[in-house]
Amino acid sequence: MAETTWRPASARGAGGATATTRAWRVWSSAAIVTAVVLAVLVVPPVVNLDEQAVHLADKLLPPSWEHPFGTDDVGRDLLVRCVYGLRVSLLVGIVAAVVATVVGTAVGALAAACGGWVDRIVMRLVDVFASVPHLLLGIFIVAMFRPGVWPVVISVGLTHWLSTARIVRAEVLSLRSRPYVDAAISGGASRWRVTVRHLLPGVLPQAGLAAVLMVPHAIWHESALSFLGLGLPTHQASLGTLVQGARSSLLAGDWWPTLFPGLFIIVPTLAIAGLAGAWRERINPRRRSELML
Amino acid sequence: MLELRSVTAGYDRRDPVVRDVHLTVAPGEAVGLLGPSGCGKSTLARVAALLHRPDRGQVVIDGEVARGWRHRAPRAQRTAFGVVFQQPRLSADPRLTLTQLIAEPLRATGRAAEVPGRVADLARTVGLGDDLLARRPHEVSDGQLQRACLARALVLDPRWLICDEMTAMLDASTTAALVAAVEGYRARTGAGLLAVGHDKVLLERWCDRTVHWDELSGDAAADRTT
């Protein structure tokens, strides 16, 4: 008799992935994120290398035991530059995601809690912001400041709160019609108290998830801005400036200055997104994990 | 005196669920409102408690016409009503412990100092043990949660109680305990009661007067006279 394997639909995840591959994905993501966090927190103080030290005699060395990622066009060790760059990019990504989430949560909660014309005006403004491409608006904002970390954080933060505002508004609107809000009103609670005590705590898991999902996106934006020469100053290692500095070498056939920073952009951000996707499936099992990057 | 004068209310102006309804509750009176599910009696209860703005008509509380609903109602007017809803699960914030749940109206009205005494008092009134008070809604049964919701409704000493299918989800002994707690409160304070439900036997034993949904609306009243 022919054996047919049958799996319940509940064992299938994104795109028909089984529970096993999903678990594997979560654990590998967790391992990568842990490694990244250890690398950026522990390595720089312990190794204590000068990532900006120039050794012109060692320029453009291919990967070797001494320089696992090779060296760049002024002889700086790329492994060290990548770790420092990841540190800067991760910091920018996290702070920008927090800024975006705080702004988005505040705007979304305000719109939903006030309702009426406040809601309509605020959400139309959100639509206007959303109709301009993120990157264009981001470029416009960084162009107003001198190059540095904070303009990039502000630029990425201020262009990415829109989706969070929409998510939070929808969530607050659904919570607002619960009987426990009626009970609170009847118990004398002010609008402010209802929002802070009952509505905001209810949307925090969603907002937190949005923040984590935002981190990879913010890192990509930082890289894009720096790659365009508008973000961080070129001597400061970030994943974007590293890829930008490597462009000319690539044309000369030196692949390592592009490959390794590129991998440092892609692998950690995918790992963070993988973890966030798993978290989302836990708190909201209906939505399958598409990478919301 | 709580009066609803030709109230029309609903969620779509073109198709209101409550049409031209008149209802009065005298001070200290217990009125039972009977009706099949989905007829609009919960909406009427929410209008009476100033939680839902009617499309037309007036709510008059002790001679004062209500001008605002929900947050727009003056706090003193809102807190004159203690409301108990049908589903305790939905009417309790899942993040608060039962103690916090009961105490919430006191904190919201700046009377946090009274919390320990009042909560202990009310927990005894509605029959909640101390061990339950530290739990969250998902750790107690529907009946226990509804007891806490009743305690919350009573905590500000309301002049009017609105019980919207308060006991529909509960067993007979919990129903008896909750009704006894409401009646004890009314005997002590002289509060009026509007109890909405579909259990004719219960409402007729509980209330001074029961009215059927069909007797309330202007249309039906007009039909009967012809």
Side-chain angles (χ1 to χ4, degrees), chain A residues 176 178-191 193-194 197-198 201-202, chain B residues 46 51 70-71 75 78-79 81 83 85 90-93 95 104-105 107-108 152 156:
Chain A
R176 207 176 58 152
R178 303 268 165 101
Y180 68 73
V181 172
D182 282 356
I185 293 173
S186 193
S190 62
R191 216 180 273 272
R193 191 174 174 90
V194 168
R197 180 91 166 143
H198 300 293
Chain B
R46 293 180 69 226
L51 290 171
R70 297 180 76 81
H71 286 297
R75 180 183 271 173
R78 276 189 264 155
T79 54
F81 294 93
V83 190
F85 300 94
L90 299 181
S91 49
D93 187 331
R95 280 164 296 274
E104 187 57 25
R107 293 186 194 283
R152 172 180 61 185
L156 293 179

Side-chain angles (χ1 to χ4, degrees), chain A:
Chain A
M1 202 169 96
E3 282 287 324
T4 50
T5 48
W6 177 85
R7 269 194 209 95
S10 61
R12 291 167 192 281
T18 61
T20 333
T21 60
R22 211 162 45 191
W24 187 85
R25 201 182 297 154
V26 170
W27 284 111
S28 56
S29 299
I32 293 170
V33 171
T34 313
V36 164
V37 169
L38 282 179
V40 300
L41 289 182
V42 176
V43 171
V46 170
V47 179
N48 198 19
L49 284 170
D50 183 5
E51 45 107 12
Q52 294 180 10
V54 173
H55 304 284
L56 287 174
D58 296 338
K59 71 172 194 171
L60 286 172
L61 293 178
S64 64
W65 281 114
E66 204 184 337
H67 301 291
F69 287 7
T71 60
D72 68 5
D73 53 359
V74 288
R76 292 175 293 202
D77 183 84
L78 274 171
L79 175 57
V80 177
R81 296 274 291 168
C82 278
V83 171
Y84 275 85
L86 185 60
R87 192 158 128 122
V88 171
S89 292
L90 207 57
L91 182 76
V92 170
I94 290 172
V95 177
V98 169
V99 169
T101 305
V102 169
V103 174
T105 305
V107 171
L110 175 87
C114 293
W117 60 269
V118 176
D119 184 29
R120 278 199 290 274
I121 290 176
V122 169
M123 292 325 284
R124 283 305 81 73
L125 278 179
V126 168
D127 289 343
V128 169
F129 263 94
S131 67
V132 184
H134 282 170
L135 194 57
L136 206 61
L137 204 58
I139 289 172
F140 181 74
I141 296 174
V142 282
M144 298 196 297
F145 300 93
R146 287 147 65 87
V149 172
W150 290 110
V152 176
V153 167
I154 292 170
S155 153
V156 178
L158 288 189
T159 49
H160 288 77
W161 53 272
L162 306 161
S163 58
T164 311
R166 286 198 179 124
I167 294 170
V168 166
R169 173 177 172 272
E171 195 71 19
V172 168
L173 282 182
S174 101
L175 292 178
R176 207 176 58 152
S177 61
R178 303 268 165 101
Y180 68 73
V181 172
D182 282 356
I185 293 173
S186 193
S190 62
R191 216 180 273 272
W192 170 252
R193 191 174 174 90
V194 168
T195 307
V196 170
R197 180 91 166 143
H198 300 293
L199 300 181
L200 277 185
V203 301
L204 282 188
Q206 296 283 346
L209 177 59
V212 177
L213 281 166
M214 190 76 73
V215 172
H217 196 123
I219 291 176
W220 288 12
H221 257 261
E222 181 278 322
S223 304
L225 287 173
S226 299
F227 180 75
L228 294 173
L230 291 159
L232 299 174
T234 38
H235 66 271
Q236 177 151 34
S238 86
L239 298 174
T241 54
L242 286 176
V243 176
Q244 196 226 359
R247 266 188 315 168
S248 50
S249 322
L250 187 63
L251 293 177
D254 301 325
W255 49 270
W256 57 93
T258 310
L259 177 71
F260 292 111
L263 284 179
F264 263 58
I265 296 178
I266 295 168
V267 175
T269 52
L270 282 183
I272 295 172
L275 277 188
W279 179 16
R280 178 166 61 192
E281 265 185 44
R282 274 193 76 125
I283 67 172
N284 192 357
R286 280 171 299 126
R287 277 164 65 175
R288 290 305 180 199
S289 153
E290 78 273 21
L291 286 179
M292 204 177 79
L293 291 175

